Amino acid sequence: MDKPHHFHSLAKQALFAIALACGLISTSHADLRLLSEEFPPINFTEQGMPRGLAVEIVQEIQRREGSATAIEFMPWARAFREAKGPGETALFGMARTPEREKQFKWVGPIVTFYSSIYAPAKDGMRLHSMDDAKRASAVLVVRDWFTAEELKTLGFQNLVSVTDPVTAIKMLLAKRVPFFATERLSMPDILAKAGISPNSLEIVYSYASSDGYIAFSLDTPDATVKAWAERLREMKRDGSFLKIYRRWLPKDNPPMGIMP
């Protein structure tokens, strides 16, 4: 039973070695791992293939760099832990927050996230300020997501952490908790996959936007990070970045600058 898998593994290794020998793959990126999570439409898998806005941006950078590293998808908490090293690793798309600033090397921005607070639709629940949200009985957040970090930094004492957004949505609709603070770009796909009507929830307060980046581990050489930043800069200059962005998020404004 192991022979076919073993054969394919050897074949892949042989092709990789040939590509290296022919200069088709840059040896400077051979040890770099690329990590991501299921977060449509930004990064996700479909029939086993990586897809999404950030995926296409990363793959175009790889193409220009002559790199062929496969993207590894895993739960966010594990990806975040592994991205901090040891080893050369890049995790995308990660919101660049003050708490994370010195833990990674950054290339981007590649996407803009928007933070909003949801409630069950037609429930009459309204928030007029962040102070209103702080006074609520509880606010759901997904553990280790940047939206949870944002609210903790703002002094929220009423947060209830869950492991995934579907759990949060189900708790919200069951009225176990009145509010759910999350990132709005991913909500349509999350609701669709959970079989929940998009009309079941409504945004009752929008409070922030954050840029998403490719976050490199501190073990990743500066030369690698600099090369990726330059390829992204090229993409923003030649229009390829905007073309990808418009395909996935036609109603949103892309972040066109490059931050060090």
Side-chain angles (χ1 to χ4, degrees):
M1 294 294 292
D2 292 333
K3 288 183 179 179
H5 174 78
H6 182 63
F7 173 79
H8 289 304
S9 177
L10 289 175
K12 286 174 67 178
Q13 291 176 27
L15 288 172
F16 185 79
I18 292 169
L20 280 175
C22 294
L24 299 176
I25 297 176
S26 170
T27 55
S28 63
H29 303 301
D31 296 325
L32 179 67
R33 294 177 66 199
L34 293 175
L35 309 182
S36 197
E37 64 161 339
E38 298 288 345
F39 192 76
I42 312 304
N43 24 256
F44 62 102
T45 55
E46 187 173 72
Q47 297 181 339
M49 299 298 293
R51 296 200 66 212
L53 183 152
V55 167
E56 288 196 16
I57 292 168
V58 165
Q59 288 178 332
E60 177 59 18
I61 292 174
Q62 285 186 283
R63 187 190 69 78
R64 296 181 184 212
E65 278 293 288
S67 170
T69 304
I71 299 169
E72 303 174 48
F73 283 81
M74 59 187 68
W76 175 257
R78 179 186 165 197
F80 186 79
R81 183 175 64 251
E82 295 198 15
K84 289 191 284 189
E88 300 176 26
T89 308
L91 172 58
F92 66 92
M94 186 192 294
R96 187 172 181 174
T97 65
E99 295 76 21
R100 297 171 177 174
E101 182 66 33
K102 294 183 179 180
Q103 299 181 54
F104 302 96
K105 300 176 181 180
W106 304 89
V107 169
I110 60 172
V111 63
T112 300
F113 299 117
Y114 299 92
S115 303
S116 299
I117 298 177
Y118 288 79
K122 301 177 181 178
D123 239 21
M125 304 291 290
R126 286 292 178 270
L127 295 172
H128 301 287
S129 68
M130 291 302 277
D131 286 336
D132 283 351
K134 287 181 180 180
R135 288 191 289 265
S137 59
V139 177
L140 285 161
V141 292
V142 178
R143 187 176 299 119
D144 295 322
W145 278 22
F146 77 95
T147 41
E149 292 182 2
E150 283 177 331
L151 298 188
K152 288 176 184 176
T153 301
L154 291 172
F156 275 66
Q157 302 294 320
N158 58 346
L159 302 180
V160 175
S161 296
V162 294
T163 56
D164 63 88
V166 173
T167 298
I169 292 167
K170 289 181 178 179
M171 290 176 65
L172 190 67
L173 292 176
K175 300 186 179 180
R176 293 172 57 187
V177 178
F179 300 111
F180 173 33
T182 188
E183 187 284 321
R184 74 162 172 80
L185 293 183
S186 61
M187 281 296 281
D189 289 276
I190 291 170
L191 289 167
K193 288 185 176 180
I196 298 171
S197 168
N199 298 324
S200 298
L201 304 179
E202 62 182 349
I203 294 174
V204 295
Y205 194 69
S206 294
Y207 62 91
S209 63
S210 302
D211 285 334
Y213 285 70
I214 305 167
F216 292 81
S217 63
L218 297 180
D219 284 348
T220 305
D222 289 344
T224 298
V225 178
K226 184 178 179 181
W228 278 60
E230 183 53 37
R231 299 294 85 75
L232 179 60
R233 187 174 288 107
E234 290 173 359
M235 291 175 63
K236 291 189 176 185
R237 282 198 301 257
D238 66 23
S240 54
F241 176 85
L242 181 60
K243 184 177 180 181
I244 293 170
Y245 212 93
R246 290 287 184 236
R247 184 158 58 247
W248 289 98
L249 298 174
K251 296 180 180 180
D252 287 10
N253 294 319
M256 294 304 295
I258 294 288
M259 295 292 291

